[in-house]
């Protein structure tokens, strides 16, 4: 077994070595304490006068009194206090330091005093270093977020000007527009005129970029202000990468006019800026990972050295000190973890927005977008499931027993997060590659194969027979999907109807699967005639089938459970899914044939289905709204201690259940924004389902606890019959 000192030396960050706790120095001092406390050799004189009948009683009483004494003294062995340090000028500084006071046993031992003074110094050093690095990385993150927003705003202005330029050319020479635009799309977007420069300046000033001497700068012949000026960035301390982006992009792009009549923005320079910002994000993520590693290694080091001290001193001083260490900033702070999660989300959103910003064409939105959004919705659902697993584990809800999973092969929350991250990383990578190849001049027919290849690889991995990448979980998923699709011919288990409920929240994903299948199987990616799918009668009819399918499967499961269990509640549940099918069909028809009659039909059917679903959510699935409950309008047994969480969850589920109102409003926002709105609403439904999952299993778990159901009931093959029959 490797000693911890060697393990620490191998894992610590070389550049931060001096900032780590000096484990080796503290270990040497513990050895000094051991030598100092070693009893001197005293000649032993044996005064043995023979055994007494009371000796066992005397020994027992001595042990009990010693144990009681140690029990009373343990909490007061040491006291660790924190205070605000005072600077050289006598004013208080915003720096928290720790000092240890030896109360009883060790108050006269100089070596012990010195040890705890050294330990306090190491704790303060580690804590202060962590605070400094944390504030530095968070500041970098804020600056990068601002840089990213500026870059996206600049691209938006550039693309808007590009589209205006295209319209101007189409009015002047419509016959040559298509060939000219396809051959040199970047030439139209290569520069900004003076009027468009004002738009850029306005956009930048919204993001905190201040222009120096704007009132007194030189004027051009047309009266427009020349852009020879310095850009004043708000008070920050950016890294060299961020400074390079600012200098390269704004000073060279805005402040360096190549013509008197206009300022130029080179697309290649914007792409270079994107690359530099991406590199800065990667480095920031590495730094956040190193900071988390620094925190965990130091915590282990403090734990190890305090246990060694306890062993030498025969006391339990480590418990009191470790409580203080765990409350220290470098352990208790969650800013790094939160920021890491926000970074992953932001970087994924950035990759999508950066890709979409240059691809407003209808071809892209009807062909490539469905596949990428399909993977994004799947990743979001996996993330929500990982959150469910984490919460179920922390609140001791036995989900493995409820779903009849084997604990050895069941998916853990870390596994769900890993799969979600890998999938989203592959999707973002494919999107970036698609963008790079498309902007490099390759034909769309070749580039648009990338989403299809990604989809094919995903399907092959899902059905891969080799024992790699969670084979047991993949096969279990395929088996459950088979049971759902073949309903009602398979006996319905808890995991089957739970998964079917998930599918009712992924109708948008299933519709995107239909679009992708038609696009690739019909060969539309070769001709880019995506209207072939949209205008086909079969495609329109399949849209109804796909929208109905999840509700139909769930209804058939209810019918099978009613047949097996003779429970009339299953028939009522079946009615809920039938009402959902009717509402979905009405909304789909209204979207294609908008009229007052269909709008009224949508309102009536959707309201009935929503009320039906909300009642079942709250009363049947969550087990709340009990008027006789000790907890008002909840239930008697609650796992979460804060009752307010349940009331907030009720309101949240109510709001997200009525998102269908958007389909009636018919916002006139254009095709592109309409797709984004649909994706946003689909994401909200996935989030609502993940939120619903926790309370559904909480109620199921409490029912099992109330009935002391710790093992599942297995049906037996034989049963008795009446002799008369």
């Amino acid at each position: 077994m490797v000693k911890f000192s060697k393990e620490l030396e191998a894992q610590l960050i070389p550049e931060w070595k001096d900032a780590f706790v000096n484990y080796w120095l503290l270990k040497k001092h513990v050895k000094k304490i051991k030598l100092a406390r070693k009893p001197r050799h005293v000649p032993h004189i044996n005064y043995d006068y023979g055994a007494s009948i009371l000796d066992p009683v005397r020994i027992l009483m001595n042990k009990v009194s010693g144990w009681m004494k140690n029990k009373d003294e343990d909490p007061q062995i040491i006291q660790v206090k924190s205070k605000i340090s005072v600077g050289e000028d006598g004013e208080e500084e915003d720096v928290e330091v720790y000092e240890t006071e030896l109360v009883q046993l060790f108050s006269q031992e100089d070596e012990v005093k010195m040890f705890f003074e050294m330990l306090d110094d190491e704790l303060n050093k580690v804590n202060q270093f962590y605070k400094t690095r944390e504030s530095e990385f968070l500041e970098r993150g804020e600056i990068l977020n601002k840089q990213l927003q500026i870059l996206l705003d600049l691209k938006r202005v550039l693309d808007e000007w590009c589209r205006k330029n295209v319209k101007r050319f189409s009015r002047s020479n419509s016959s040559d527009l298509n060939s000219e635009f396809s051959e040199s799309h970047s030439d139209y977007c290569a520069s900004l005129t003076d009027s468009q420069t004002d738009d850029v300046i306005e956009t930048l000033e919204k993001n905190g970029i201040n222009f120096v001497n704007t009132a007194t700068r030189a004027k051009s012949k047309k009266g427009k202000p020349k852009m020879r000026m310095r850009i004043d960035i708000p008070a920050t301390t950016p890294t060299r990468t961020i400074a390079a982006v600012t200098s390269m992009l704004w000073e060279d792009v805005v402040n360096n006019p190549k013509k008197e009549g206009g300022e130029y923005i080179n697309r290649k320079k914007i792409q270079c800026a994107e690359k530099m910002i991406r590199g800065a994000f990667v480095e920031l993520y590495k730094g956040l990972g190193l900071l988390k590693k620094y925190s965990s290694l130091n915590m282990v080091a403090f734990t190890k050295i305090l246990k060694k001290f306890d062993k030498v001193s025969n006391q339990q001083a480590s418990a009191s000190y470790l409580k203080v260490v765990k409350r220290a900033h470098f352990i208790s702070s969650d800013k790094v973890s939160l920021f890491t999660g926000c970074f992953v989300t932001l970087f994924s959103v950035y990759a999508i927005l950066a890709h979409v910003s240059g691809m407003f064409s209808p071809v892209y939105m009807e062909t490539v977008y469905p596949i990428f959004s399909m993977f994004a919705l799947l990743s979001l659902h996996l993330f929500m499931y990982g959150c469910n697993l984490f919460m179920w584990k922390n609140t001791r809800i036995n989900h493995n027993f409820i779903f009849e999973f084997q604990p050895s092969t069941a998916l853990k929350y870390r596994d769900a997060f890993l799969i979600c991250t890998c999938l989203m990383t592959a999707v973002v990578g494919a999107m970036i590659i698609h963008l790079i190849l498309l902007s490099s001049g390759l034909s769309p027919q070749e580039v648009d194969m990338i989403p299809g290849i990604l989809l094919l690889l995903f399907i092959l991995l899902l059905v891969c027979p080799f024992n790699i990448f969670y084979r047991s979980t993949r096969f279990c998923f395929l088996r459950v999907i088979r049971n759902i699709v073949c309903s009602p011919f398979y006996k319905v288990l808890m995991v089957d109807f739970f998964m079917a409920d998930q599918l009712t929240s992924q109708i948008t994903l299933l519709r995107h699967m239909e679009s992708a299948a038609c696009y690739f199987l019909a060969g539309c990616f070769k001709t880019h005639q995506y209207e072939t799918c949209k205008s086909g009668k079969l495609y329109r009819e399949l849209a109804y089938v796909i929208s109905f399918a999840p509700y139909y499967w769930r209804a058939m499961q209810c019918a099978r459970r009613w047949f097996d269990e003779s429970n009339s509640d299953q028939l009522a549940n079946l009615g809920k899914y039938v009402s959902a099918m009717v509402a979905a069909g009405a909304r789909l028809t209204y979207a294609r044939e908008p009229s007052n009659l269909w709008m009224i039909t949508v309102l009536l059917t959707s309201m009935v289905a929503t009320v039906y679903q909300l009642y079942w959510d709250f009363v049947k699935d969550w087990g709340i709204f009990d008027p006789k409950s000790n907890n008002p309008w909840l239930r008697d047994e609650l796992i979460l201690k804060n009752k307010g969480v349940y009331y907030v969850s009720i309101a949240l589920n109510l709001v997200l259940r009525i998102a269908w109102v958007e389909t009636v409003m018919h916002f006139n926002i254009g095709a592109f924004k309409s797709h984004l709105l649909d994706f946003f609403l689909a994401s909200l439904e996935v989030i609502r389902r993940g939120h619903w999952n926790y309370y559904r299993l909480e109620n199921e778990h409490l029912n099992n606890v109330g009935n002391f159901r710790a093992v599942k009931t297995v049906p037996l093959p034989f049963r008795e019959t009446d002799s008369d029959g």
Side-chain angles (χ1 to χ4, degrees), residues 482-500:
R482 178 205 63 187
N483 295 349
I484 293 173
V485 173
C486 296
S487 300
F489 302 107
Y490 284 95
K491 181 178 176 61
V492 182
L493 303 177
M494 175 73 184
V495 67
D496 296 332
F497 66 78
F498 187 84
M499 178 61 74

Side-chain angles (χ1 to χ4, degrees), residues 62-183:
N62 289 337
K63 288 185 177 181
V64 172
S65 61
W67 177 78
M68 293 298 294
K69 181 180 180 181
N70 291 337
K71 182 179 179 182
D72 294 337
E73 292 177 350
D74 279 348
Q76 299 182 357
I77 292 176
I78 61 172
Q79 287 185 358
V80 186
K81 299 180 178 179
S82 63
K83 65 178 184 179
I84 304 300
S85 64
V86 180
E88 297 179 356
D89 55 356
E91 296 183 358
E92 289 188 353
E93 299 177 347
D94 191 17
V95 178
E96 187 180 27
V97 295
Y98 296 92
E99 287 185 357
T100 302
E101 295 180 3
L102 307 180
V103 179
Q104 287 188 359
L105 296 180
F106 305 134
S107 58
Q108 303 300 323
E109 296 185 34
D110 294 336
E111 294 294 339
V112 175
K113 286 183 179 179
M114 189 178 298
F115 169 78
F116 278 102
E117 288 176 359
M118 295 168 59
L119 197 63
D120 291 339
D121 292 339
E122 294 298 317
L123 177 58
N124 293 327
K125 177 185 71 174
V126 169
N127 205 41
Q128 187 57 37
F129 178 85
Y130 185 91
K131 284 184 178 180
T132 304
R133 295 284 82 76
E134 182 187 65
S135 60
E136 176 186 333
F137 286 130
L138 293 179
E139 185 179 8
R140 284 191 190 185
E142 293 175 359
I143 296 171
L144 277 174
N145 289 341
K146 192 175 223 37
Q147 292 282 318
L148 183 59
Q149 187 60 48
I150 292 172
L151 184 62
L152 292 175
D153 288 342
L154 183 59
K155 287 171 67 68
R156 178 181 58 80
V157 172
L158 186 63
D159 287 316
E160 288 177 357
W161 178 84
C162 179
R163 292 199 303 277
K164 292 178 182 178
N165 206 17
V166 171
K167 292 180 180 179
R168 180 169 58 85
F169 272 91
S170 64
R171 289 194 299 268
S172 61
N173 190 7
S174 60
S175 60
D176 298 331
L177 174 62
N178 292 332
S179 60
E180 191 174 354
F181 184 77
S182 60
E183 291 174 0

Side-chain angles (χ1 to χ4, degrees), residues 214-226:
T214 54
T216 60
R217 64 179 184 261
K219 305 288 184 177
S220 65
K221 292 182 179 180
K222 297 180 179 180
K224 297 288 184 179
K226 290 185 177 180

Side-chain angles (χ1 to χ4, degrees), residues 38 257 516 691:
K38 189 175 182 179
H691 169 260

Side-chain angles (χ1 to χ4, degrees), residues 248-256 263-266 269:
M248 182 277 301
L249 186 58
W250 304 130
E251 294 293 332
D252 187 52
V253 171
V254 180
N255 293 358
N256 188 20
E263 285 71 36
Y264 287 85
I265 291 181
N266 194 320
K269 292 184 179 181

